Amino acid sequence: MTVTDPPPSKAADARAAAKAFVATLDPRPAAATIQDLLLLVSELVTNALRHAGAVTALAFGADDATLYVHVADPSPDRPQQRTPDLRGGTGGFGWPVILKLTEKADIRDHAPRGKVIRVSMAR
């Protein structure tokens, strides 16, 4: 895993870290996969900032078939499926987008407090 240090304080920093990670991969994923990864990272980090107040860790990994993203935050609260607000007031789109883009999403406790969301997507 490649850990981003320091953790991003905004989604744009997380996207930049994802682009830098992808640039190290050989072979490089397809352009559409990279765009999906950038959207995925944006949603994960935005959700952590909005609902937990911070990102405490961001890490990337890859093998021949899969890309991995780990995002830790200080809140033990799990993501909640909400009805999307089509008028733009309260959101509700992020978690469904994350689930759509990933093959697997796993949420675990992250000591001493908080959680880590670990997702994988096809490379």
Side-chain angles (χ1 to χ4, degrees):
M1 295 298 290
T2 300
V3 178
T4 302
D5 189 33
S9 60
K10 55 188 176 184
D13 295 339
R15 287 190 302 273
K19 287 178 187 177
F21 171 72
V22 167
T24 68
L25 299 178
D26 184 28
R28 188 174 170 153
T33 300
I34 294 170
Q35 290 302 312
D36 286 350
L37 175 65
L38 297 177
L39 177 57
L40 176 63
V41 168
S42 283
E43 292 296 336
L44 286 166
V45 167
T46 297
N47 282 356
L49 294 170
R50 178 175 290 157
H51 301 291
V55 173
T56 56
L58 173 64
F60 299 96
D63 59 29
D64 291 340
T66 308
L67 297 172
Y68 303 95
V69 180
H70 294 189
V71 176
D73 68 51
S75 172
D77 298 335
R78 302 301 199 247
Q80 298 295 312
Q81 189 78 17
R82 297 184 294 134
T83 301
D85 181 355
L86 299 176
R87 290 173 282 149
T90 60
F93 295 94
W95 190 242
V97 167
I98 290 165
L99 295 177
K100 179 74 173 169
L101 293 172
T102 59
E103 293 181 330
K104 183 178 180 185
D106 182 45
I107 305 163
R108 297 199 180 172
D109 292 334
H110 189 251
R113 185 170 181 271
K115 68 180 165 299
V116 61
I117 298 177
R118 302 187 297 182
V119 298
S120 58
M121 64 182 293
R123 183 171 174 172

